[in-house]
Every structure is written in structure tokens, then in C-alpha cells.
Amino acid sequence: MSDRFISIEGIARRFPTRSGEPVTIFEDLSLSIARGDFVCIIGHSGCGKSTVLNVLAGLDQPDAGFVFIDGKQITAPGLDRAVIFQSHALLPWKTALGNVAYAVASRWPSLKKAEINARAQRAIDLVGLHGAEMKRPAELSGGMRQRVGIARALSIEPKILLMDEPFSALDALTRGALQDEVRRICRDTGQTLFMITHDVDEAMYLADKIVLMTNGPGAMIAEIVENPLPQERKRDEIHRHPDYYPLRNHLIDFLVTRSVTFRNDMPAGYDRKKPPVVKPRAQTPTMA
């Protein structure tokens, strides 16, 4: 497995201001993601998380640097990537199956209708919506609509799923159920995911690695946190794992304090191109 399936190499993004001086959201940002990894990125609003995701999606262009996916430079949107936004953005006049089939037909325009519907049905089944295929978005709950959005993304068989706070507008119970579904799908498909979240517990439950970004403008990746929790995570047991609170405290401490003070208190030898990798763990008691 390559550790550079996604390679972000020194990208920068600047936006004009009324004064004429551009504001730098981030600069010289570098990150590598392995095939099959689930990576969450956390940071305060304004640090450029969504901009990084949009650059990966090909919806925005960096002012400097490059992004490669599977060895190919990314300069535009492509069907090798699927984006799931906070809003499901479904076509209201189409059924759940119709929304997913529309994506399949766009991906493979030469397919016959029966094969299009079969592929769409498989995606619907994968997200647990069997029996709701013929319902329109207005007849579905918020969680079900978001499931259709996930099914639509999966139906085109992308190499990468890019998710921008996809569960933030849902109630806690629905959000938890969808998180469980996403973990199951990732395990079953080996999908590579890049997800933005403000929810520390969500990142801990879902991610293999958690990328911590300092406050913007001029944001940088402070560190990459390797999740020490076991791959098989059960929602009702995870908080009992000895590494749970060391990890959670590390993330909260960053968001409350170090995201602001990082520039004045950088680790020795910090390199923007190779942010440090850390793995918070419970301390092993020492014998007196």
C-alpha cells in the first residue's frame, strides 16, 4: 500500500481583499494520505479546511503547489472523486433510486437502463435504504436523504470520498447511526476518505489519522495524529479504552490552546513539508 496515494505538495491559497493586499489562508501545505485511509481534518473556522477539500475535488485551484492522486496531477473535477457536502443536494422531483441512477448514468452513459438501475439499487442497499427506493426527498427524513447522497457518491465507484461535515445538521441519534454506516462501508469497500469535521468525538470514532490545522489566516498543519484506538470500534465501549481520554485530551488541548499559540511555540525542527506524526497513548505506570 502506497503512503502517497493522495499527495498534497506545498499548496497555497490566497484571496484578494478590498485593500488590494491578498490574504493568505494557508501556504506551503503538504500532506500524504495512503490508499484506504480514513483521514479527518480538524481546525477552527477560517483555517482553510473546506478550501483544501475543494482543491482535492478540483473545484478550486491552489495559487502555488500541486495535488496528485494516484500519481496524476489534479487540475479539475473528476469522476475518480465524489464529494458529499453538508446538504444532500438531491433532485426533488426524482426518487431516491432516480437520484442515484442519475449519477450512474452520468458516469457510464453507454449503460442500458436495467444495468443503471441495478447499480443504483446496489448503492441504495449498501446504505441500508432498501424499501425506500421509490420515495422522493420530501418523503424521507434528513438522515435518509443524507444516506441517498452517500449512495449517489458510492454508485460512481470513486477512488476517494471527500466529505465536508456531512452529518453536522443531523440529530445526535441519526448522526451516530450514519457514522456507524460509514465505518461499515469503509471496512467493506476499502474506500479512501478525506473528511472535514468540527466534532472531536466523530473524528476519534471514524478516522485512522486526524490532521490538526492551526488558526487562519496563514494556517498550517500542526501535526498528524495517528489514532491509537483499535480498528474495530464499538460505540458503547470505545470510551473504556485506555487510549481514549489521552487522545481526546490531546485534541481538545490543541483546539482550545495550541491552535492559537502554535506559531510561537513550534516543536523543535518543525517542517511544514513534513508535519510531525504523533500517537497519544495512555501512560504506562512505572515501578517505584
Side-chain angles (χ1 to χ4, degrees):
M1 299 229 322
S2 169
D3 63 351
R4 294 175 66 86
F5 176 58
I6 300 174
S7 184
I8 299 172
E9 301 183 5
I11 63 172
R13 194 67 180 94
R14 308 179 187 97
F15 291 98
T17 63
R18 291 183 179 181
S19 68
E21 290 294 324
V23 59
T24 299
I25 304 303
F26 52 76
E27 191 164 17
D28 210 8
L29 203 77
S30 296
L31 176 67
S32 295
I33 299 173
R35 190 187 302 271
D37 264 359
F38 195 137
V39 173
C40 280
I41 186 167
I42 290 181
H44 290 284
S45 295
C47 71
K49 302 184 301 297
S50 292
T51 303
V52 173
L53 183 142
N54 288 336
V55 169
L56 280 172
L59 300 172
D60 197 2
Q61 295 299 313
D63 295 292
F66 306 93
V67 174
F68 297 90
I69 294 178
D70 209 8
K72 178 182 177 182
Q73 185 178 347
I74 298 304
T75 59
L79 291 171
D80 58 339
R81 288 148 284 150
V83 185
I84 302 173
F85 296 104
Q86 295 181 39
S87 171
H88 50 78
L90 300 179
L91 300 174
W93 61 89
K94 286 185 175 290
T95 63
L97 185 67
N99 269 277
V100 179
Y102 183 80
V104 174
S106 300
R107 175 69 174 86
W108 295 285
S110 62
L111 288 181
K112 294 182 179 180
K113 185 175 182 180
E115 177 60 21
I116 289 172
N117 287 337
R119 286 176 178 261
Q121 185 65 56
R122 286 196 292 270
I124 288 285
D125 293 344
L126 189 62
V127 299
L129 282 179
H130 182 77
E133 299 91 336
M134 304 315 294
K135 292 185 177 181
R136 289 181 170 80
E139 303 173 282
L140 300 172
S141 68
M144 293 173 77
R145 289 194 291 268
Q146 199 67 333
R147 285 173 188 256
V148 177
I150 295 171
R152 179 177 57 190
L154 292 170
S155 70
I156 65 170
E157 299 179 3
K159 293 180 180 179
I160 300 166
L161 279 181
L162 304 169
M163 307 175 77
D164 191 353
E165 296 191 74
F167 313 131
S168 60
L170 304 174
D171 65 88
L173 290 176
T174 303
R175 183 165 61 247
L178 274 181
Q179 289 168 355
D180 290 338
E181 286 294 324
V182 167
R183 273 194 60 78
R184 178 185 60 78
I185 290 168
C186 290
R187 184 178 64 248
D188 293 346
T189 64
Q191 187 63 254
T192 304
L193 278 97
F194 181 88
M195 177 174 166
I196 293 171
T197 182
H198 283 100
D199 188 329
V200 166
D201 294 297
E202 181 171 72
M204 292 172 59
Y205 185 61
L206 293 175
D208 301 309
K209 296 182 178 68
I210 303 167
V211 177
L212 303 182
M213 286 192 70
T214 65
N215 285 13
M220 61 187 78
I221 295 176
E223 60 190 31
I224 300 165
V225 179
E226 289 191 354
N227 195 333
L229 299 174
Q231 281 293 320
E232 293 299 322
R233 300 166 198 166
K234 296 183 178 179
R235 185 176 299 278
D236 59 345
E237 297 178 2
I238 191 172
H239 63 286
R240 297 189 179 95
H241 193 279
D243 292 330
Y244 178 85
Y245 284 105
L247 172 61
R248 194 174 195 279
N249 291 342
H250 184 87
L251 299 178
I252 293 294
D253 176 67
F254 175 81
L255 290 173
V256 172
T257 304
R258 295 183 59 236
S259 60
V260 180
T261 64
F262 184 82
R263 284 185 184 81
N264 298 325
D265 191 24
M266 286 186 185
Y270 173 81
D271 182 355
R272 284 176 181 259
K273 294 186 182 299
K274 295 181 180 179
V277 178
V278 301
K279 193 170 187 176
R281 307 201 77 138
Q283 294 295 315
T284 302
T286 56
M287 299 297 291

